[in-house]
Amino acid sequence: MKKFFLLVLCAILLITGFVSCDREEEIASTLPEELESYRKLSNFTERYFSVADSNTALEVRLPIGWSLEEENGHFKVLDGKEVVGTVFSGEGEEEMTLATTKEPNGITVKTYVGALTRDGEKQAYYRVVFSFRDSDDQSRVVSMEIKESAMDGSAMQWMNGACVRPIKGYHDIPTLSLLDGNQKQKILILGNSFVSSSHSAIATILKEMIAAGNQQGEVEYFSLGYATVSQYAREDGNFADARERIATGNYNMVLMCGLYSSADVEALRDMIALCDTVNTRLVLFPAHNEGASHIESALAKYRNMPCLNWKREIDTLLDLGLSRSLLCKEDQHGHSTNLGGYIGAHLVYRSLYGEVPPTAGYATDAIVQDALIQPLGSYVSEGMQLLAQTKINRLF
């Protein structure tokens, strides 16, 4: 009997031994907030990533000394000669544990922890997933998988402070000098409540910019609540008054808001024809609540029609971290504020005169310089700063 128990005990020990040999070694992960910092906070360089042909790039600060190597639509991250991670489009397939969620500058940054096997070796990794919408309102996701051994608190802090940047070539504005076309000096802004004096006050602000800059040009606006391009294309009712104004031939250009449907895209043909009869330029000027898909359809359909994309200008500044409450009212339609109107006027002024508007010399209180435009920072004196395409690392 004693021998029997000894045999059973040996069998148990043998089985336990085999199980322990087959058991996969667990790899512990350090939570992001527990990382120690050994890099100086100033030792970073900006890297820019764009998904396919998107007009917006993700800006991420990475440690100096890290380099990128393109490989089949994604990028290897190298520290010297060692591959320490990858950057790719999408969220990643292997399951990891969500550790933190941050929302810097209008984007969402989720950091996951866990063990991944790369090149036959299993190690602790971080997966940092950046989710944002580009200036065409398309959802974009960029992910970084970095070895835990290559990370520190500074690098994690830089990644969690990511932002987005507009790309040159997609956001360039057309030159619409008043010396071109019929050389008349009047501009007519045509739209709905988004261009009214009770909301954005864009016409008043643009008038003041022109006066403060000692430039030639007059500005008028015509707005009716809920107005669309289709309604302006009609020849009856209150909309007939706007058409009669255009028919006088007194305007160099008409800035047209009101694209909310495919019918509005079709109706642009009538508005272009009306303007052509008096040698007036029709310029698409979408307000902030207009649909990006309708704007895209209109530009594809009427390739010779210039566009000053007021909507995209506001969206880009929101993407760069400006608070929505500064640009959009908290009402049913999200009407543009005076600051939103200032941005639209700034855009038009740059297109008309090839320079930024002055920052002083305004006649009325429509713009309170220090209080109102201070949040815009360098935009006021430099306009939209666009990222050169040569700096973009494109992911596919």
Side-chain angles (χ1 to χ4, degrees):
M1 190 63 135
K2 188 173 181 182
K3 285 184 177 180
F4 174 76
F5 282 118
L6 286 171
L7 287 170
V8 171
L9 181 60
C10 288
I12 292 171
L13 289 172
L14 283 169
I15 293 169
T16 306
F18 281 124
V19 170
S20 62
C21 288
D22 290 341
R23 185 178 297 154
E24 206 169 79
E25 182 184 353
E26 291 186 6
I27 296 178
S29 297
T30 304
L31 292 175
E33 58 268 25
E34 295 175 357
L35 278 171
E36 295 184 4
S37 295
Y38 57 83
R39 293 182 175 98
K40 289 184 178 180
L41 279 174
S42 59
N43 286 358
F44 65 82
T45 184
E46 289 91 357
R47 298 290 186 172
Y48 307 97
F49 301 94
S50 175
V51 178
D53 60 350
S54 174
N55 59 20
T56 304
L58 174 74
E59 177 186 304
V60 185
R61 294 174 173 180
L62 298 179
I64 289 176
W66 284 15
S67 60
L68 301 172
E69 184 178 302
E70 196 275 335
E71 184 179 69
N72 300 323
H74 66 271
F75 286 85
K76 292 192 292 187
V77 182
L78 294 92
D79 186 357
K81 293 184 178 180
E82 181 190 1
V83 176
V84 297
T86 56
V87 185
F88 55 92
S89 171
E91 296 187 8
E93 297 178 355
E94 294 152 297
E95 186 175 345
M96 299 181 79
T97 302
L98 178 62
T100 62
T101 300
K102 310 281 186 182
E103 293 187 344
N105 307 313
I107 69 177
T108 300
V109 182
K110 292 185 177 181
T111 302
Y112 296 81
V113 297
L116 298 174
T117 301
R118 297 289 181 263
D119 297 325
E121 184 179 2
K122 191 169 186 178
Q123 293 189 47
Y125 272 80
Y126 294 106
R127 180 186 293 148
V128 186
V129 181
F130 307 89
S131 304
F132 58 96
R133 305 194 77 82
D134 66 17
S135 296
D136 284 332
D137 202 31
Q138 298 296 310
S139 177
R140 304 295 183 182
V141 179
V142 174
S143 294
M144 289 186 174
E145 289 179 353
I146 306 292
K147 292 179 181 178
E148 182 182 304
S149 59
M151 289 288 285
D152 76 330
S154 297
M156 186 62 72
Q157 183 176 332
W158 297 331
M159 291 182 187
N160 279 314
C163 64
V164 293
R165 293 278 302 277
I167 301 173
K168 190 174 179 62
Y170 293 92
H171 294 257
D172 302 329
I173 63 174
T175 299
L176 298 173
S177 171
L178 292 176
L179 299 177
D180 296 333
N182 61 19
Q183 298 187 350
K184 298 288 178 65
Q185 297 297 303
K186 281 189 177 182
I187 301 163
L188 177 63
I189 302 175
L190 214 56
N192 48 40
S193 53
F194 272 74
V195 304
S196 71
S197 58
S198 59
H199 291 297
S200 70
I202 184 170
T204 302
I205 295 170
L206 182 56
K207 284 180 187 176
E208 293 186 5
M209 283 182 177
I210 293 170
N214 294 315
Q215 302 285 1
Q216 296 296 313
E218 300 177 42
V219 183
E220 296 179 6
Y221 81 96
F222 187 99
S223 71
L224 290 168
Y226 299 95
T228 67
V229 175
S230 298
Q231 291 172 311
Y232 276 112
R234 296 175 185 168
E235 298 183 9
D236 57 2
N238 293 330
F239 298 99
D241 295 340
R243 294 177 62 86
E244 288 171 6
R245 283 201 197 189
I246 296 171
T248 62
N250 291 330
Y251 300 98
N252 184 293
M253 67 186 71
V254 174
L255 304 184
M256 184 86 238
C257 305
L259 277 181
Y260 298 98
S261 67
S262 55
D264 292 326
V265 174
E266 292 298 324
L268 275 172
R269 188 185 307 277
D270 294 330
M271 296 304 297
I272 292 170
L274 173 62
C275 289
D276 283 348
T277 60
V278 289
N279 195 23
T280 295
R281 292 176 287 180
L282 186 77
V283 179
L284 196 62
F285 189 58
H288 193 232
N289 70 333
E290 298 182 33
S293 61
H294 300 311
I295 299 167
E296 186 177 338
S297 295
L299 294 177
K301 194 175 188 68
Y302 310 105
R303 295 190 178 276
N304 294 325
M305 177 181 60
C307 177
L308 292 175
N309 202 330
W310 181 18
K311 169 186 171 60
R312 188 173 64 190
E313 196 87 349
I314 290 176
D315 280 339
T316 300
L317 288 167
L318 290 174
D319 288 342
L320 291 172
L322 205 62
S323 170
R324 180 171 292 273
S325 63
L326 291 172
L327 304 183
C328 309
K329 295 185 176 181
E330 295 182 3
D331 58 19
Q332 180 182 356
H333 304 291
H335 283 105
S336 297
T337 61
N338 277 178
L339 187 56
Y342 174 89
I343 290 165
H346 199 284
L347 172 65
V348 175
Y349 189 100
R350 297 192 328 261
S351 175
L352 292 176
Y353 307 113
E355 61 185 38
V356 296
T359 57
Y362 291 87
T364 72
D365 293 331
I367 303 175
V368 182
Q369 288 294 312
D370 292 338
L372 184 58
I373 66 177
Q374 186 177 5
L376 294 177
S378 63
Y379 178 87
V380 175
S381 57
E382 299 176 15
M384 191 68 73
Q385 297 302 292
L386 304 179
L387 195 61
Q389 295 209 33
T390 54
K391 292 188 174 183
I392 308 300
N393 300 292
R394 293 201 178 271
L395 303 165
F396 295 93

mmCIF file of all heavy atoms in Angstrom, residues 113 205 213 232:
data_model
loop_
_atom_site.group_PDB
_atom_site.id
_atom_site.type_symbol
_atom_site.label_atom_id
_atom_site.label_comp_id
_atom_site.label_asym_id
_atom_site.label_seq_id
_atom_site.Cartn_x
_atom_site.Cartn_y
_atom_site.Cartn_z
ATOM 1 N N VAL A 113 -2.475 48.299 -22.477
ATOM 2 C CA VAL A 113 -1.281 47.582 -22.017
ATOM 3 C C VAL A 113 -1.472 46.088 -22.257
ATOM 4 O O VAL A 113 -2.601 45.589 -22.309
ATOM 5 C CB VAL A 113 -1.001 47.844 -20.525
ATOM 6 C CG1 VAL A 113 -0.705 49.311 -20.280
ATOM 7 C CG2 VAL A 113 -2.185 47.389 -19.653
ATOM 8 N N ILE A 205 -18.191 92.604 -39.663
ATOM 9 C CA ILE A 205 -16.783 92.393 -39.324
ATOM 10 C C ILE A 205 -15.906 92.562 -40.555
ATOM 11 O O ILE A 205 -14.844 93.197 -40.494
ATOM 12 C CB ILE A 205 -16.593 91.004 -38.688
ATOM 13 C CG1 ILE A 205 -17.328 90.940 -37.351
ATOM 14 C CG2 ILE A 205 -15.113 90.695 -38.480
ATOM 15 C CD1 ILE A 205 -17.407 89.556 -36.739
ATOM 16 N N GLY A 213 -7.917 98.168 -42.812
ATOM 17 C CA GLY A 213 -6.766 97.881 -43.657
ATOM 18 C C GLY A 213 -6.582 98.871 -44.796
ATOM 19 O O GLY A 213 -5.694 98.685 -45.630
ATOM 20 N N TYR A 232 -33.037 80.303 -53.000
ATOM 21 C CA TYR A 232 -32.501 81.482 -53.685
ATOM 22 C C TYR A 232 -32.580 81.338 -55.192
ATOM 23 O O TYR A 232 -32.620 82.345 -55.916
ATOM 24 C CB TYR A 232 -31.046 81.738 -53.255
ATOM 25 C CG TYR A 232 -30.939 82.514 -51.971
ATOM 26 C CD1 TYR A 232 -30.446 81.905 -50.817
ATOM 27 C CD2 TYR A 232 -31.327 83.847 -51.895
ATOM 28 C CE1 TYR A 232 -30.342 82.608 -49.624
ATOM 29 C CE2 TYR A 232 -31.235 84.557 -50.708
ATOM 30 C CZ TYR A 232 -30.739 83.936 -49.571
ATOM 31 O OH TYR A 232 -30.648 84.641 -48.396
#
